[in-house]
Amino acid sequence: MATLGIPQNTIAILQKYNFNFQKKFGQNFLIDTRVLDRIIESAEITKDDCVLEIGPGIGTMTQYLAEAAREVVAVEIDKNLIPILENDTLAEYDNVTIINDDILKVDINKIVQEKNNGQPIKVVANLPYYITTPIIMGLFESHVPLKSITIMVQKEVADRMQVGPGTKDYGALSLAVQYYAKPEIVANVPPNCFIPRPNVGSAVIRLTRHDKPPVEVKDEAYMFALIRASFNQRRKTLLNGLTNAGNLGVTKEQITEALEQMGLPATIRGEALTLEQFGELSNLLKA
Ligand code: SAM
């Protein structure tokens, strides 16, 4: 199969099927073989792996995944792409299953059960940027058995996942990702590696699932409610932000006492707290 990573081959397929890009689906197809090689290499795909690909497009990365993995399941929302994948670009691979559906509606746990006996899978994707956060959080929160997630995202979002306290990018996404996984940016990818070109820079980030979260919390959902409340009112002190939230079931006095117990000043802002400190605060307030 001639690789679609070469721009002329992608253009030939798009013309053959008279394909119209749908902006609402975040369609930017990769046309750079070096970036494709880098993604496959960073995801460390082997013939033991079952891979879930979100949004195969015309199947560019799917071809690479099919060569490297034992099994690939590709979920694509755009019905106009299905005949291209089934009859043309992926026709010669018998280890690829194509599902025409919205990834946010698919039962991924069921796929893992059927295709990999419930054993951890790898997720690899050049994500549609308009739903990056719900896809990642959905994968983590529904406790899909996962080894890693290797994804192309907007550069700014990759930065947000990786940073620690005290920076402007630090927020609820950084903490959620770092609770579940170790993030590592493995490549920066400029707009000219895609057709059509996106308006933003992109990055490939690998999230390696922790065996055990780095903090022990009594109630994960409560800690995440606390984190969201802390960053909802970024310019307020943590004390005021949490008091105003109204859904945490604690008084201003209880929060003051907990901060004191942790040796933190009452004037501290949420963006200064580490994941470990959010864990500790959540355990104190829940008690
Ligand atoms: N993997 C291809 C590549 O690298 O060239 C295409 C990547 S493109 C950035 C994102 C793909 O995700 C598109 O094919 C788009 O149709 C698909 N997509 C968008 N929203 C989706 C959803 N909710 N569920 C599944 N696929 C979706």
Side-chain angles (χ1 to χ4, degrees), residues 25-30 53-58 60-61 75-78 81 101-104 126-128 130-131:
F25 290 145
Q27 292 176 338
N28 301 96
F29 298 165
L30 259 172
E53 186 190 9
I54 299 161
I58 57 170
T60 313
M61 194 154 68
V75 179
E76 173 57 59
I77 197 168
D78 186 352
L81 288 165
D101 209 337
D102 179 347
I103 191 65
L104 297 178
N126 170 14
L127 283 185
Y130 73 106
I131 43 168

Side-chain angles (χ1 to χ4, degrees), residues 173-192:
L173 182 65
S174 332
L175 285 154
V177 164
Q178 292 165 30
Y179 178 74
Y180 291 109
K182 179 164 105 35
E184 206 176 333
I185 293 178
V186 293
N188 285 317
V189 184
N192 63 4

Side-chain angles (χ1 to χ4, degrees), residues 64-287:
Y64 284 69
L65 292 169
E67 299 283 346
R70 191 193 79 241
E71 180 92 38
V72 181
V73 179
V75 179
E76 173 57 59
I77 197 168
D78 186 352
K79 66 175 183 347
N80 294 329
L81 288 165
I82 306 303
I84 305 180
L85 296 168
E86 284 180 348
N87 307 332
D88 210 318
T89 59
L90 302 179
E92 71 182 59
Y93 297 104
D94 57 11
N95 60 343
V96 178
T97 308
I98 301 157
I99 300 174
N100 182 202
D101 209 337
D102 179 347
I103 191 65
L104 297 178
K105 296 192 180 138
V106 169
D107 184 347
I108 303 174
N109 276 304
K110 193 164 150 231
I111 294 177
V112 178
Q113 203 54 50
E114 284 170 7
K115 296 287 179 187
N116 210 33
N117 282 326
Q119 294 304 304
I121 58 156
K122 289 181 177 169
V123 174
V124 182
N126 170 14
L127 283 185
Y129 295 171
Y130 73 106
I131 43 168
T132 301
T133 303
I135 291 177
I136 297 172
M137 294 319 297
L139 285 167
F140 286 138
E141 285 170 359
S142 57
H143 294 278
V144 171
L146 279 177
K147 282 188 199 151
S148 62
I149 304 178
T150 307
I151 41 175
M152 177 88 71
V153 296
Q154 205 175 316
K155 169 80 176 91
E156 189 195 310
V157 177
D159 289 340
R160 272 198 268 146
M161 290 187 213
Q162 214 190 14
V163 293
T167 54
K168 74 168 178 26
D169 288 334
Y170 185 60
L173 182 65
S174 332
L175 285 154
V177 164
Q178 292 165 30
Y179 178 74
Y180 291 109
K182 179 164 105 35
E184 206 176 333
I185 293 178
V186 293
N188 285 317
V189 184
N192 63 4
C193 295
F194 303 87
I195 180 170
R197 292 178 185 206
N199 297 326
V200 291
S202 303
V204 179
I205 188 163
R206 189 183 59 214
L207 311 176
T208 310
R209 187 91 160 88
H210 293 309
D211 292 331
K212 194 160 111 332
V215 282
E216 245 180 75
V217 284
K218 289 183 195 140
D219 185 337
E220 277 179 18
Y222 188 80
M223 180 180 73
F224 285 118
L226 197 77
I227 288 172
R228 272 192 300 272
S230 313
F231 288 96
N232 266 347
Q233 298 181 303
R234 239 192 139 93
R235 274 159 299 160
K236 289 218 158 72
T237 61
L238 180 66
L239 181 58
N240 284 336
L242 298 185
T243 311
N244 295 347
N247 64 340
L248 298 170
V250 280
T251 62
K252 193 163 191 165
E253 290 65 40
Q254 287 169 313
I255 304 167
T256 311
E257 198 181 311
L259 289 175
E260 251 174 41
Q261 236 177 300
M262 290 172 65
L264 296 173
T267 52
I268 198 162
R269 291 185 183 192
E271 65 202 22
L273 262 64
T274 62
L275 174 60
E276 287 70 18
Q277 287 172 318
F278 272 112
E280 192 183 345
L281 182 62
S282 133
N283 287 343
L284 285 172
L285 294 179
K286 200 64 195 169

